[in-house]
């Protein structure tokens, strides 16, 4: 079973690419939460596990959590992140 990890920093509009953002600014949102990301992943069609006590390495000790995506071996991580970013943006509008 392949698990992919999505950190909130990947979708955070306040961060630069070198700080960890992995989507274009137009697709990014302000302060994404693990709950929003998990809902978006489920909309894409995968199961998720939320780990709230994890900190992204580029953010020091700020524990914003992460989302584990289960059985996502049929798509690339970048495709998954782009799709999740689109759903999170749509949920906020």
């Amino acid at each position: 079973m392949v698990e992919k990890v999505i950190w909130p920093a990947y979708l955070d509009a306040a961060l630069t690419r070198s700080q960890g953002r992995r989507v274009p600014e137009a697709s990014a949102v302000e302060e994404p939460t693990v709950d929003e990301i998990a809902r978006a992943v489920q909309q894409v069609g995968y199961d998720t596990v939320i780990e709230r006590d994890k900190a992204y390495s580029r953010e020091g000790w700020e524990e914003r959590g992460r989302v584990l995506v289960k059985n996502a071996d049929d798509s690339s991580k970048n495709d998954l992140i782009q799709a999740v970013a689109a759903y999170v943006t749509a949920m906020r509008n």
Side-chain angles (χ1 to χ4, degrees):
M1 172 171 49
V2 176
E3 286 184 347
K4 293 188 170 123
V5 178
I6 300 180
W7 297 94
Y10 291 176
L11 310 175
D12 197 334
L15 301 178
T16 64
R17 291 272 187 171
S18 64
Q19 290 172 320
R21 182 173 44 84
R22 293 184 60 170
V23 298
E25 267 189 279
S27 300
V29 295
E30 292 290 328
E31 298 182 12
T33 65
V34 289
D35 295 317
E36 288 176 317
I37 294 169
R39 275 196 308 265
V41 170
Q42 289 167 347
Q43 289 292 319
V44 175
Y46 298 108
D47 294 327
T48 62
V49 174
I50 297 174
E51 294 183 332
R52 297 183 189 281
D53 61 342
K54 301 294 182 183
Y56 185 52
S57 60
R58 294 185 188 181
E59 292 184 322
W61 298 106
E62 183 182 351
E63 291 184 353
R64 293 205 294 177
R66 69 181 182 183
V67 177
L68 299 179
V69 182
K70 303 232 178 236
N71 299 321
D73 49 351
D74 59 342
S75 69
S76 72
K77 184 169 183 175
N78 188 52
D79 289 344
L80 179 63
I81 292 169
Q82 299 299 327
V84 168
Y87 274 104
V88 170
T89 302
M91 286 190 299
R92 290 230 179 149
N93 292 333

